[in-house]
Amino acid sequence: MCNFDKKMKIMHISKIKIHGFRCFNSEGASIEIDRRLNAFIGLNSSGKTAALEALRKLFGITNAERNISKQDFHVACEEGDEVRERSLSIEARLDFDESETDAIPHFFSSMVVDAEGENPYIRVLLESIWTKNDLAEEGDIDTKLYFINVPESEDSTDESKHAFPKHLRGLIQAFYVPAIRRPSEQMRYISGSILYRVLSSMKFSDEFKENYLTKITELNSLFQSIDEFSTIESTLSDIWSEFHKDERYKDISLSFGTSEIESILQKLEISFRPTEINRPYQIDELGEGYRSLFYFTLVCTLLKIEKEIDDEDRVKPLLTILAIEEPENHIAPQLLGRVIKILTSISKQDKAQVFLSSHTPAIIKRLDPESIFHFRINEDYATEINRVCLPTDTEDAYKYVKEAVKNYPEIYFARLVVIGEGDSEHLIFNRLMEVYDKDFDDNIISFAPLGHRFVNHIWKLLSSLHIPYITLLDLDVGRDGGGWGRIKYALQQLIHLGIDRNTLLTLRDGTILTDENFDKMHTWIYENNKLDALMWWVDRLKEYDILYSSPLDIDYLMLEHYPKIYKKAIPENGGPRIPKKNEDPEKFATKVENAVVATLKSENAKGETYTETQRELMIWYNYHFLGRGKPVTHMNALALMDNEKIKENMPPVLVEIFDKIGKILHKK
C-alpha cells in the first residue's frame, strides 16, 4: 500500500481518469494524487505528454488549448478504417477542505461527499465523441464539459451530469510549458500568453491615460517636423488618391502608436545586459538553456504577481496547474537541482499544483520518490501507470529509497533490468554484450549492481512498476549465510512479492515444504558434502529469473572456467607464491588451507563441498580478488580473449542469462 499524504487542505487535483485519449485505451488509467509536486516519468512515447495534455484539455486557458481534434482519439492496433465512431473522456477530481473559504462558494452547488463528515470534492468531466463524416476529413466532433453531481461510489448517469458554466472556467487554469520552449511567444501581448496574463492585471488611471496620449502626440509631432518624413506622408497620400475617389479613407497620416495602450504593450520587448557585445541581447539571442530558464522565470513571475495582486473586482484563478514537459531540456545537470527547488517552491504556494514529465535519471534523483508516477506501454500498446510505493516502516523505507529508488534511477526507463552483485558483474556483462551482440543501450537494458542484502527492495520496486528483471546472485557456499541461506532468502522475498507459497515450496515428491522446515532451511547440511539438493533449488529459482554464480561468486566462476587465462593475467614477476605440491606437500597443504579460510571468510572454513582442484584454485582467488582489485583482474583476463575464446568455455549460467535476455526482448 502506498503511504499517501492527506494533509493538502486547499483545493487540489486528487485524481485524474483518462479513457480513449491518445495512447490511453478505452480501459484507461487512473492517477491518484496526493502531492503538490508530481512527476510523470518513463520512456519516450509512454504517455507522459498525453497526461499533461489531458489537464490542458480540461483546464486550458484558451479555446485552442481546450480543442479536441481527431488525432486525440485512441486508435487500437486492431481497429481498421471502417470505425465510424470513437469516444474519449477525461475526468478530474478536485478535493476541498472545510477550511477552504475562497473556492467553496463558487463550486458549492456541484460538491459531493462520500460519507457524512468527510471533505467535499467536485468531479469535472470532459466527454468527446468523434463521428466519421464522409464529406469532412476531420469528421464531426462533439465535446462537452460537465460537473458530475454524484460521488465516485455511485454510477453516473446523464441526469447526474450538469454543464460546467463558462464563467467558472477561469477559476481553474492549466498552464502548459512545452518541451520546446519559446519564451519570445510568451512575451507577446496576445491572449493566452504569460505576458498577457501578467499585464492584464494592471489598472490605468485617468491621469496615466492622459499623460500617455500627451506623450504619443509629442512623439508624432517630433517626427512630423522632419522634412523627409512629411515628404513620405504626402507622397503616399497623392498616389493613394489616384487609385480611388472614395471620400472615405482619403487622408493618410504616419504616426507611432495610437490612443490604444494595448498597441504599445504589443511592442514590449525584453533585453539582457551586460553582454560580450556592444548592445543588449534579445530573448531569442540567448542560448537554449537560458531561454528555457527564462521561460520558468516568466511562469514564476506570473504566479507571484497573481498571488500579490490586491484587487477585489478582479477574479483570480483559485488553482493554477503548472504542467511542465521535460524541465531538463537544454539545462546543465548542475542547474537541475535549482530548477526542481523552484518548482517545489511554486507547488507550495496556496493556489498552485505542479506536474512535470521527464525521462532523465538526473531529475529522478532530485524528487521525492512518492511523487513519482511511472508510465509504460503495456502489451496492448496502451499506457499503464504505476506509482512508487514505499514501505511503511521508517528504516525499511530509508533502505528502499537509498538502495533502489534514488541510487539507480536508470531502471525507471528500462525495458529490462539485469541485477547483479557489484562491479565484477557489471564489467563482465559489458564485455559479454559484445560477445552476444546485445548492446544494453540499444535494447534499453539497465544493469543494477545490488548485493543480495538489498535485492528485495529492487525486486519490490520493479515488480510494482511491471518492469521485467533478471537477477544473478552469489551462492556463497561455505560462507556465513551462504548456500541454503541464500536460497531461503530468495524464496522468502518471492513469497513477499505475492508468489503462491505452495507452488513455490512444492518438493520433488509433490509435497509442500512445511513452515517449520522452511524456517530451518538456512541450517540444512549438505549430505555427503554434495550440492545436489541445493542445486535442485537453484534450478527451481531459474523459473523466476533468479540465477546464481555457483558454487561461490562470479569471480570464482570466471576463474574456474578460464583458469589458464586468469593465471596469465598477472603483472611481470607477479602471482602468488605457491610451494610445489610434490616437493613440499605439507607447505602446499597449508597454503591451500589458508586460501580456503581467506576465500570463505571464516577461520573454521574447510571447504568440504569443494573438490581438491577447486580448493587449490582458491590460492589464485585469494591473490586475484582479495589481494588485488576485482575489476582490474577481469579486464586484464578478458582482454586476453577474443569473442570466440570466451564462448568456448562460457559459464552455463551466463549463457542462460543472455538466452533469457533474448527471450524477454523478443516477447516485448
Side-chain angles (χ1 to χ4, degrees), residues 323-343:
I324 303 175
E325 188 178 7
E326 300 172 19
E328 68 272 11
N329 276 7
H330 310 297
I331 295 176
Q334 296 87 343
L335 295 177
L336 281 179
R338 190 180 305 169
V339 171
I340 294 300
K341 283 182 180 178
I342 293 171
L343 296 180

Side-chain angles (χ1 to χ4, degrees), residues 48-61:
K48 306 183 300 298
T49 298
L52 296 182
E53 284 280 6
L55 289 170
R56 184 157 70 155
K57 297 300 181 184
L58 270 176
F59 303 118
I61 300 169

Side-chain angles (χ1 to χ4, degrees), residues 17 91-92 121-125 146-148 150-152 154:
K17 296 179 183 178
E91 180 184 338
Y121 60 90
I122 59 172
R123 298 172 64 189
V124 181
L125 173 68
Y146 301 102
F147 280 122
I148 302 179
V150 294
E152 290 185 303
E154 299 180 21

Side-chain angles (χ1 to χ4, degrees), residues 35-87:
R35 294 290 191 277
R36 307 294 296 183
L37 175 65
N38 304 276
F40 298 163
I41 67 164
L43 288 173
N44 289 327
S45 300
S46 59
K48 306 183 300 298
T49 298
L52 296 182
E53 284 280 6
L55 289 170
R56 184 157 70 155
K57 297 300 181 184
L58 270 176
F59 303 118
I61 300 169
T62 65
N63 289 331
E65 291 177 316
R66 299 190 297 266
N67 183 54
I68 297 291
S69 66
K70 179 183 176 182
Q71 289 71 31
D72 290 324
F73 293 86
H74 178 79
V75 181
C77 296
E78 65 274 9
E79 288 188 276
D81 295 333
E82 297 307 312
V83 176
R84 304 199 62 86
E85 185 175 286
R86 292 192 185 92
S87 63

Side-chain angles (χ1 to χ4, degrees), residues 569-615:
I570 57 175
E572 188 175 352
N573 298 321
R577 301 295 178 254
I578 306 175
K580 294 186 180 298
K581 186 175 183 178
N582 295 330
E583 296 178 7
D584 199 340
E586 190 173 327
K587 284 187 177 181
F588 180 81
T590 301
K591 184 75 173 180
V592 171
E593 290 174 5
N594 291 337
V596 170
V597 167
T599 299
L600 301 182
K601 301 178 181 179
S602 171
E603 294 182 358
N604 300 318
K606 302 297 181 184
E608 294 96 338
T609 60
Y610 293 85
T611 66
E612 190 58 33
T613 300
Q614 289 176 321
R615 294 173 79 253

Side-chain angles (χ1 to χ4, degrees), residues 360-376:
T360 175
I363 286 286
I364 308 306
K365 291 181 178 181
R366 294 168 169 85
L367 293 172
D368 175 0
E370 289 187 296
S371 70
I372 293 173
F373 296 85
H374 180 263
F375 285 59
R376 64 185 290 270

